[in-house]
PDB file of all heavy atoms in Angstrom:
ATOM      1  N   PHE S 368      86.018 150.206 170.551  1.00 97.00           N
ATOM      2  CA  PHE S 368      85.646 150.454 169.153  1.00 97.00           C
ATOM      3  C   PHE S 368      86.257 151.768 168.643  1.00 97.00           C
ATOM      4  O   PHE S 368      86.882 151.788 167.572  1.00 97.00           O
ATOM      5  CB  PHE S 368      84.120 150.494 169.007  1.00 97.00           C
ATOM      6  CG  PHE S 368      83.645 151.226 167.777  1.00 97.00           C
ATOM      7  CD1 PHE S 368      83.797 150.674 166.515  1.00 97.00           C
ATOM      8  CD2 PHE S 368      83.063 152.494 167.882  1.00 97.00           C
ATOM      9  CE1 PHE S 368      83.381 151.368 165.378  1.00 97.00           C
ATOM     10  CE2 PHE S 368      82.642 153.186 166.759  1.00 97.00           C
ATOM     11  CZ  PHE S 368      82.803 152.621 165.497  1.00 97.00           C
ATOM     12  N   ASP S 369      86.105 152.841 169.405  1.00 97.00           N
ATOM     13  CA  ASP S 369      86.649 154.138 168.977  1.00 97.00           C
ATOM     14  C   ASP S 369      88.152 154.041 168.733  1.00 97.00           C
ATOM     15  O   ASP S 369      88.679 154.627 167.784  1.00 97.00           O
ATOM     16  CB  ASP S 369      86.388 155.213 170.041  1.00 97.00           C
ATOM     17  CG  ASP S 369      84.904 155.524 170.184  1.00 97.00           C
ATOM     18  OD1 ASP S 369      84.212 155.581 169.159  1.00 97.00           O
ATOM     19  OD2 ASP S 369      84.444 155.708 171.332  1.00 97.00           O
ATOM     20  N   ASN S 370      88.837 153.316 169.596  1.00 97.00           N
ATOM     21  CA  ASN S 370      90.288 153.214 169.466  1.00 97.00           C
ATOM     22  C   ASN S 370      90.725 152.353 168.291  1.00 97.00           C
ATOM     23  O   ASN S 370      91.668 152.703 167.580  1.00 97.00           O
ATOM     24  CB  ASN S 370      90.907 152.706 170.771  1.00 97.00           C
ATOM     25  CG  ASN S 370      91.015 153.815 171.799  1.00 97.00           C
ATOM     26  OD1 ASN S 370      91.833 154.716 171.674  1.00 97.00           O
ATOM     27  ND2 ASN S 370      90.149 153.773 172.810  1.00 97.00           N
ATOM     28  N   VAL S 371      90.036 151.234 168.079  1.00 98.00           N
ATOM     29  CA  VAL S 371      90.384 150.397 166.928  1.00 98.00           C
ATOM     30  C   VAL S 371      90.134 151.173 165.635  1.00 98.00           C
ATOM     31  O   VAL S 371      90.937 151.161 164.701  1.00 98.00           O
ATOM     32  CB  VAL S 371      89.573 149.073 166.920  1.00 98.00           C
ATOM     33  CG1 VAL S 371      89.888 148.260 165.674  1.00 98.00           C
ATOM     34  CG2 VAL S 371      89.880 148.259 168.165  1.00 98.00           C
ATOM     35  N   ASP S 372      89.001 151.896 165.617  1.00 97.00           N
ATOM     36  CA  ASP S 372      88.661 152.691 164.442  1.00 97.00           C
ATOM     37  C   ASP S 372      89.709 153.779 164.204  1.00 97.00           C
ATOM     38  O   ASP S 372      90.197 153.965 163.091  1.00 97.00           O
ATOM     39  CB  ASP S 372      87.276 153.307 164.638  1.00 97.00           C
ATOM     40  CG  ASP S 372      86.880 154.190 163.478  1.00 97.00           C
ATOM     41  OD1 ASP S 372      87.307 153.902 162.357  1.00 97.00           O
ATOM     42  OD2 ASP S 372      86.140 155.171 163.703  1.00 97.00           O
ATOM     43  N   HIS S 373      90.070 154.488 165.281  1.00 96.00           N
ATOM     44  CA  HIS S 373      91.059 155.560 165.136  1.00 96.00           C
ATOM     45  C   HIS S 373      92.404 154.999 164.676  1.00 96.00           C
ATOM     46  O   HIS S 373      93.024 155.515 163.742  1.00 96.00           O
ATOM     47  CB  HIS S 373      91.223 156.311 166.462  1.00 96.00           C
ATOM     48  CG  HIS S 373      92.302 157.352 166.435  1.00 96.00           C
ATOM     49  ND1 HIS S 373      92.117 158.599 165.881  1.00 96.00           N
ATOM     50  CD2 HIS S 373      93.592 157.318 166.854  1.00 96.00           C
ATOM     51  CE1 HIS S 373      93.243 159.283 165.973  1.00 96.00           C
ATOM     52  NE2 HIS S 373      94.152 158.538 166.561  1.00 96.00           N
ATOM     53  N   LEU S 374      92.854 153.941 165.326  1.00 97.00           N
ATOM     54  CA  LEU S 374      94.156 153.356 164.991  1.00 97.00           C
ATOM     55  C   LEU S 374      94.220 152.932 163.521  1.00 97.00           C
ATOM     56  O   LEU S 374      95.212 153.175 162.837  1.00 97.00           O
ATOM     57  CB  LEU S 374      94.430 152.142 165.893  1.00 97.00           C
ATOM     58  CG  LEU S 374      95.706 151.358 165.572  1.00 97.00           C
ATOM     59  CD1 LEU S 374      96.939 152.183 165.902  1.00 97.00           C
ATOM     60  CD2 LEU S 374      95.749 150.028 166.332  1.00 97.00           C
ATOM     61  N   THR S 375      93.141 152.319 163.024  1.00 97.00           N
ATOM     62  CA  THR S 375      93.168 151.849 161.642  1.00 97.00           C
ATOM     63  C   THR S 375      92.952 152.998 160.654  1.00 97.00           C
ATOM     64  O   THR S 375      93.833 153.290 159.850  1.00 97.00           O
ATOM     65  CB  THR S 375      92.122 150.750 161.422  1.00 97.00           C
ATOM     66  OG1 THR S 375      90.860 151.191 161.936  1.00 97.00           O
ATOM     67  CG2 THR S 375      92.533 149.473 162.123  1.00 97.00           C
ATOM     68  N   SER S 376      91.800 153.676 160.737  1.00 97.00           N
ATOM     69  CA  SER S 376      91.470 154.693 159.723  1.00 97.00           C
ATOM     70  C   SER S 376      92.395 155.898 159.767  1.00 97.00           C
ATOM     71  O   SER S 376      92.767 156.430 158.731  1.00 97.00           O
ATOM     72  CB  SER S 376      90.041 155.204 159.923  1.00 97.00           C
ATOM     73  OG  SER S 376      89.138 154.158 159.801  1.00 97.00           O
ATOM     74  N   ASN S 377      92.726 156.343 160.980  1.00 97.00           N
ATOM     75  CA  ASN S 377      93.440 157.613 161.073  1.00 97.00           C
ATOM     76  C   ASN S 377      94.949 157.457 161.225  1.00 97.00           C
ATOM     77  O   ASN S 377      95.674 158.441 161.136  1.00 97.00           O
ATOM     78  CB  ASN S 377      92.896 158.442 162.237  1.00 97.00           C
ATOM     79  CG  ASN S 377      91.425 158.752 162.076  1.00 97.00           C
ATOM     80  OD1 ASN S 377      90.838 158.467 161.036  1.00 97.00           O
ATOM     81  ND2 ASN S 377      90.814 159.310 163.089  1.00 97.00           N
ATOM     82  N   VAL S 378      95.420 156.240 161.507  1.00 96.00           N
ATOM     83  CA  VAL S 378      96.864 156.049 161.640  1.00 96.00           C
ATOM     84  C   VAL S 378      97.394 155.053 160.609  1.00 96.00           C
ATOM     85  O   VAL S 378      98.208 155.407 159.752  1.00 96.00           O
ATOM     86  CB  VAL S 378      97.246 155.583 163.072  1.00 96.00           C
ATOM     87  CG1 VAL S 378      98.750 155.411 163.184  1.00 96.00           C
ATOM     88  CG2 VAL S 378      96.741 156.576 164.111  1.00 96.00           C
ATOM     89  N   MET S 379      96.912 153.800 160.666  1.00 97.00           N
ATOM     90  CA  MET S 379      97.503 152.775 159.807  1.00 97.00           C
ATOM     91  C   MET S 379      97.267 153.020 158.316  1.00 97.00           C
ATOM     92  O   MET S 379      98.183 152.872 157.510  1.00 97.00           O
ATOM     93  CB  MET S 379      96.998 151.385 160.213  1.00 97.00           C
ATOM     94  CG  MET S 379      97.454 150.988 161.611  1.00 97.00           C
ATOM     95  SD  MET S 379      96.704 149.455 162.189  1.00 97.00           S
ATOM     96  CE  MET S 379      97.856 148.255 161.525  1.00 97.00           C
ATOM     97  N   LEU S 380      96.041 153.388 157.942  1.00 98.00           N
ATOM     98  CA  LEU S 380      95.779 153.585 156.510  1.00 98.00           C
ATOM     99  C   LEU S 380      96.556 154.773 155.937  1.00 98.00           C
ATOM    100  O   LEU S 380      97.213 154.645 154.893  1.00 98.00           O
ATOM    101  CB  LEU S 380      94.277 153.729 156.227  1.00 98.00           C
ATOM    102  CG  LEU S 380      93.374 152.540 156.595  1.00 98.00           C
ATOM    103  CD1 LEU S 380      91.940 152.786 156.122  1.00 98.00           C
ATOM    104  CD2 LEU S 380      93.895 151.238 155.994  1.00 98.00           C
ATOM    105  N   PRO S 381      96.524 155.961 156.603  1.00 97.00           N
ATOM    106  CA  PRO S 381      97.319 157.071 156.062  1.00 97.00           C
ATOM    107  C   PRO S 381      98.818 156.764 156.027  1.00 97.00           C
ATOM    108  O   PRO S 381      99.498 157.079 155.056  1.00 97.00           O
ATOM    109  CB  PRO S 381      97.028 158.225 157.025  1.00 97.00           C
ATOM    110  CG  PRO S 381      95.707 157.899 157.637  1.00 97.00           C
ATOM    111  CD  PRO S 381      95.663 156.403 157.727  1.00 97.00           C
ATOM    112  N   LEU S 382      99.311 156.088 157.069  1.00 97.00           N
ATOM    113  CA  LEU S 382     100.720 155.723 157.091  1.00 97.00           C
ATOM    114  C   LEU S 382     101.031 154.754 155.939  1.00 97.00           C
ATOM    115  O   LEU S 382     102.041 154.889 155.243  1.00 97.00           O
ATOM    116  CB  LEU S 382     101.050 155.053 158.431  1.00 97.00           C
ATOM    117  CG  LEU S 382     102.401 155.368 159.043  1.00 97.00           C
ATOM    118  CD1 LEU S 382     102.595 156.868 159.157  1.00 97.00           C
ATOM    119  CD2 LEU S 382     102.515 154.715 160.432  1.00 97.00           C
ATOM    120  N   GLY S 383     100.141 153.802 155.731  1.00 98.00           N
ATOM    121  CA  GLY S 383     100.280 152.893 154.588  1.00 98.00           C
ATOM    122  C   GLY S 383     100.332 153.698 153.294  1.00 98.00           C
ATOM    123  O   GLY S 383     101.127 153.419 152.399  1.00 98.00           O
ATOM    124  N   GLY S 384      99.488 154.744 153.213  1.00 98.00           N
ATOM    125  CA  GLY S 384      99.450 155.589 152.024  1.00 98.00           C
ATOM    126  C   GLY S 384     100.771 156.302 151.789  1.00 98.00           C
ATOM    127  O   GLY S 384     101.219 156.443 150.647  1.00 98.00           O
ATOM    128  N   VAL S 385     101.412 156.750 152.877  1.00 98.00           N
ATOM    129  CA  VAL S 385     102.716 157.406 152.745  1.00 98.00           C
ATOM    130  C   VAL S 385     103.721 156.413 152.150  1.00 98.00           C
ATOM    131  O   VAL S 385     104.404 156.700 151.162  1.00 98.00           O
ATOM    132  CB  VAL S 385     103.242 157.911 154.112  1.00 98.00           C
ATOM    133  CG1 VAL S 385     104.683 158.394 153.987  1.00 98.00           C
ATOM    134  CG2 VAL S 385     102.356 159.023 154.646  1.00 98.00           C
ATOM    135  N   PHE S 386     103.786 155.223 152.740  1.00 98.00           N
ATOM    136  CA  PHE S 386     104.760 154.244 152.268  1.00 98.00           C
ATOM    137  C   PHE S 386     104.485 153.817 150.826  1.00 98.00           C
ATOM    138  O   PHE S 386     105.405 153.648 150.027  1.00 98.00           O
ATOM    139  CB  PHE S 386     104.760 153.011 153.183  1.00 98.00           C
ATOM    140  CG  PHE S 386     105.424 153.260 154.509  1.00 98.00           C
ATOM    141  CD1 PHE S 386     104.734 153.110 155.700  1.00 98.00           C
ATOM    142  CD2 PHE S 386     106.759 153.655 154.567  1.00 98.00           C
ATOM    143  CE1 PHE S 386     105.344 153.348 156.928  1.00 98.00           C
ATOM    144  CE2 PHE S 386     107.377 153.896 155.786  1.00 98.00           C
ATOM    145  CZ  PHE S 386     106.674 153.740 156.971  1.00 98.00           C
TER     146      PHE S 386
END
Side-chain angles (χ1 to χ4, degrees):
F368 159 72
D369 293 320
N370 281 288
V371 177
D372 178 31
H373 175 80
L374 175 69
T375 50
S376 300
N377 300 353
V378 181
M379 295 173 87
L380 299 186
L382 218 53
V385 171
F386 286 120

